[in-house]
Amino acid sequence: MKRWNPEGAIAVLTGASSGIGRCLTHQLADCGATVIAVARREPQLTETVSSWQSKGQGRILPLVGDITDPETHLLIKNELTQLTDDHRLDLLVNNAGVGAIGPFAEATPQRLRQVMEINFFSAAELTRTLLPSLRQSSSPVICNIGSVLGHCAVPDKSEYCASKFALHGWSDALRCELACEGFQVTLVSPSTTRSEFFHSLIETDSKTKSKSLGSWPADRVAAATLNAIIRRKREVVLSIGGKLLVYADRLIPGIMNKFLKRPHYAVKANVN
Ligand SMILES: NC(=O)c1ccc[n+]([C@@H]2O[C@H](COP(=O)([O-])OP(=O)(O)OC[C@H]3O[C@@H](n4cnc5c(N)ncnc54)[C@H](OP(=O)(O)O)[C@@H]3O)[C@@H](O)[C@H]2O)c1
């Protein structure tokens, strides 16, 4: 199948003010795409634009907004109508996301709601709003940034795992539903990535550390994402540690469950 061509494409990318989203915005614009770059923090979003060394026909159009707010979805839609007569959209990257660390039993219901709202419901509803514009494209792509934790669940990240499993399942269903219309749905599942992610965890003790089997820089994750989009991949799991976790969970789920089990929860539950 012919590769997807970013040159001249119109893209919407959420979570463009830092990390993977900022790097991917730059890489798409380097390839000649016009990128509507969405995030809440205006100074950081402005930096995404100012730190880009223009290399051609690409453009970055910053749009300040919270993706949990339907008003932001309408602003994005409106921006598309300013760009072309047919309000065409070629690529939607649902990248914005947040994490939370800590036992489910000790968390508030708001933590679950917030993580699900940003990581899953907003991505799904933004996609719903932008489907008519994607349908105007001759080669529409929806790229969802999931996580290896959307394939293999671990303790202390129950809300995050739930949100990324939801994104995974929804991506697979959407791919089947929209294939007959020529849509490509690409799910990218990074492992631990060096970004601002661990500085903006919801309701998480600031001293909490996350363990990982080796992390990637954000620009490497962005490059692998762009490569997956261009090569029309349906799903990519990034990093050797990430692949090990995902495939071990598929092949030996019982052993993985034993390996990941936390005995001290049982002790605590008995005490309380
Ligand atoms: N870092 C990792 O280890 C890792 C591993 C696997 C998967 N991922 C996934 O990769 C994606 C990008 O994360 P990252 O590592 O690049 O983290 P990051 O540097 O913290 O970037 C997250 C981005 O999401 C935006 N965002 C958060 N809430 C938003 C909201 N309500 N509305 C609009 N934008 C919002 C943030 O911008 P504002 O705060 O300015 O709004 C920021 O630009 C996420 O989906 C994350 O789950 C990360």
Side-chain angles (χ1 to χ4, degrees):
M1 194 193 250
K2 220 172 112 199
R3 288 184 178 198
W4 188 79
N5 183 8
E7 198 180 343
I10 296 173
V12 168
L13 190 149
T14 66
S17 61
S18 63
I20 299 165
R22 176 180 283 177
C23 296
L24 187 54
T25 298
H26 289 173
Q27 291 173 19
L28 280 164
D30 284 347
C31 295
T34 293
V35 187
I36 300 174
V38 187
R40 292 166 301 181
R41 293 169 301 165
E42 191 166 10
Q44 283 80 353
L45 199 54
T46 305
E47 210 182 308
T48 295
V49 181
S50 63
S51 60
W52 179 55
Q53 315 282 325
S54 170
K55 286 186 194 161
Q57 298 298 309
R59 276 189 297 172
I60 301 174
L61 308 173
L63 193 152
V64 178
D66 185 331
I67 54 154
T68 64
D69 181 357
E71 192 64 34
T72 300
H73 301 188
L74 296 179
L75 286 175
I76 297 170
K77 204 173 166 179
N78 190 41
E79 182 84 24
L80 288 170
T81 60
Q82 314 283 322
L83 290 179
T84 62
D85 290 341
D86 61 359
H87 59 88
R88 181 186 102 238
L89 174 63
D90 302 296
L91 169 67
L92 168 61
V93 185
N94 289 309
N95 164 74
V98 289
I101 304 180
F104 176 76
E106 291 168 21
T108 67
Q110 287 75 28
R111 190 165 85 176
L112 176 62
R113 294 273 164 197
Q114 258 183 290
V115 172
M116 289 298 292
E117 197 61 55
I118 297 171
N119 293 2
F120 177 62
F121 289 118
S122 298
E125 293 309 330
L126 178 60
T127 304
R128 195 198 303 278
T129 304
L130 298 182
L131 268 178
S133 291
L134 284 160
R135 286 193 167 113
Q136 297 295 331
S137 172
S138 57
S139 197
V141 179
I142 299 166
C143 174
N144 295 324
I145 307 299
S147 166
V148 294
L149 301 186
H151 300 259
C152 171
V154 297
D156 287 341
K157 295 182 182 169
S158 60
E159 296 92 348
Y160 186 72
C161 290
S163 71
K164 293 297 183 178
F165 266 76
L167 196 69
H168 178 176
W170 173 70
S171 301
D172 286 356
L174 208 63
R175 186 181 302 114
C176 300
E177 285 185 22
L178 297 173
C180 56
E181 293 184 56
F183 270 73
Q184 170 186 336
V185 177
T186 298
L187 176 69
V188 176
S189 301
S191 189
T192 308
T193 306
R194 298 195 286 279
S195 68
E196 292 181 18
F197 187 80
F198 294 99
H199 305 288
S200 46
L201 298 168
I202 294 178
E203 277 186 36
T204 302
D205 186 334
S206 57
K207 290 184 229 101
T208 304
K209 294 260 186 307
S210 182
K211 290 189 204 118
S212 83
L213 297 166
S215 60
W216 277 20
D219 61 345
R220 190 172 173 196
V221 175
T225 301
L226 184 56
N227 190 45
I229 294 169
I230 290 173
R231 288 170 181 268
R232 298 190 172 282
K233 301 274 187 197
R234 49 183 293 285
E235 177 184 300
V236 286
V237 176
L238 307 182
S239 95
I240 294 179
K243 285 187 174 81
L244 271 176
L245 195 70
V246 171
Y247 296 118
D249 194 61
R250 280 183 197 168
L251 295 171
I252 43 165
I255 295 173
M256 285 298 283
N257 267 207
K258 279 195 187 124
F259 174 69
L260 291 166
K261 201 164 102 180
R262 288 283 165 83
H264 71 270
Y265 287 163
V267 175
K268 262 195 168 177
N270 287 340
V271 170
N272 295 329

